[in-house]
């Protein structure tokens, strides 16, 4: 990250009354894991949509993904030991990222996301030790594969004679059918 991104801009945003209110909102979110999960989902959707816009590229995108994974693991109880202040701050950063009107409104192409990226970079630099611990924890976790939803099993189509083993002529009794045999065979 460049000096400019981790410098005073993110700190200035974090010191605003707006961000202070977001910290309080973040505490409320953390009491409801489903709200945190939705926040993470919405954040990743917005970031994916803005990924090609220069401001959400490369390292910023990777940091956002790392932060969301850490918050998700901590809020679900899988990852323990994260300081509450770090968790609250991370959720507040995500809320700020989702706000369309913040210090620099997101509707302004490219520039509108610079304040979001600056705040994220500043926050990530401040919790570097915690992120390193999380990366290490995450690397030791087994990879979980979620099974695809099983589609209803449709019987395979085949051309086999399904009457195998059943009388071919159900209107006749078993002794009624004559077979021809050839002598000397």
């Amino acid at each position: 990250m460049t000096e400019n991104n981790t410098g005073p801009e993110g700190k200035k945003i974090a010191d605003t009354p707006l961000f202070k209110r977001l910290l309080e909102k973040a505490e409320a979110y953390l009491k409801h894991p489903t709200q945190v999960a939705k926040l993470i989902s919405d954040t990743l959707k917005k970031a994916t949509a803005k990924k090609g816009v220069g401001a959400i590229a490369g390292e910023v995108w990777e940091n956002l993904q790392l932060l969301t994974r850490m918050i998700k693991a901590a809020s679900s109880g899988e990852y323990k030991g994260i300081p509450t202040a770090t968790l609250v701050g991370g959720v507040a950063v995500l809320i700020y990222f989702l706000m369309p009107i913040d210090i620099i409104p997101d509707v302004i192409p490219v520039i509108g996301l610079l304040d979001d990226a600056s705040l994220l970079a500043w926050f990530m630099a401040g919790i570097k030790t915690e992120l390193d611990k999380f990366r290490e924890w995450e690397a030791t976790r087994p990879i979980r594969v979620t099974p695809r939803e099983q589609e209803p099993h449709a019987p395979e189509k085949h051309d086999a004679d399904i009457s195998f083993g059943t009388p071919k002529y159900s209107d006749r009794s078993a002794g009624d059918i004559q077979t021809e045999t050839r002598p000397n065979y």
Side-chain angles (χ1 to χ4, degrees):
M1 239 179 268
T2 64
E3 287 282 326
N4 197 16
N5 283 343
T6 59
E9 292 306 312
K11 173 96 173 99
K12 285 180 188 175
I13 295 166
D15 287 339
T16 64
L18 169 66
F19 193 76
K20 302 265 188 247
R21 284 193 304 273
L22 293 181
L23 288 170
E24 293 170 11
K25 192 172 185 178
E27 288 177 357
Y29 265 79
L30 288 170
K31 293 176 183 171
H32 305 282
T34 55
Q35 285 183 329
V36 174
K38 182 171 178 0
L39 177 70
I40 290 170
S41 174
D42 292 347
T43 299
L44 293 174
K45 281 179 191 170
K46 178 180 178 180
T48 301
K50 303 290 183 181
K51 192 172 150 186
V53 178
I56 300 295
E59 194 173 345
V60 174
W61 170 244
E62 290 171 21
N63 283 337
L64 190 60
Q65 288 181 315
L66 177 62
L67 181 61
T68 57
R69 287 194 316 269
M70 186 173 75
I71 291 170
K72 181 179 179 182
S75 67
S76 71
E78 285 182 81
Y79 181 61
K80 308 263 188 236
I82 185 170
T84 303
T86 300
L87 195 54
V88 170
V91 170
V93 167
L94 298 184
I95 295 169
Y96 185 88
F97 178 75
L98 283 176
M99 291 178 56
I101 299 178
D102 44 38
I103 304 297
I104 303 173
D106 294 348
V107 293
I108 301 171
V110 182
I111 296 171
L113 294 174
L114 287 179
D115 62 325
D116 299 350
S118 294
L119 178 63
L120 177 65
W122 171 82
F123 183 75
M124 298 296 276
I127 63 165
K128 183 180 180 336
T129 303
E130 192 60 45
L131 291 171
D132 290 344
K133 288 179 190 174
F134 176 73
R135 276 190 195 104
E136 189 176 305
W137 173 84
E138 194 176 41
T140 64
R141 303 283 297 167
I143 297 173
R144 284 200 286 164
V145 179
T146 54
R148 291 187 304 155
E149 286 189 35
Q150 294 201 358
E151 298 174 14
H153 181 67
E156 292 182 31
K157 185 177 179 183
H158 56 81
D159 295 328
D161 182 359
I162 59 171
S163 65
F164 178 77
T166 61
K168 298 245 182 221
Y169 307 100
S170 61
D171 60 335
R172 296 183 175 186
S173 64
D176 188 27
I177 300 175
Q178 299 291 321
T179 58
E180 183 180 315
T181 57
R182 292 187 184 174
N184 299 335
Y185 275 49

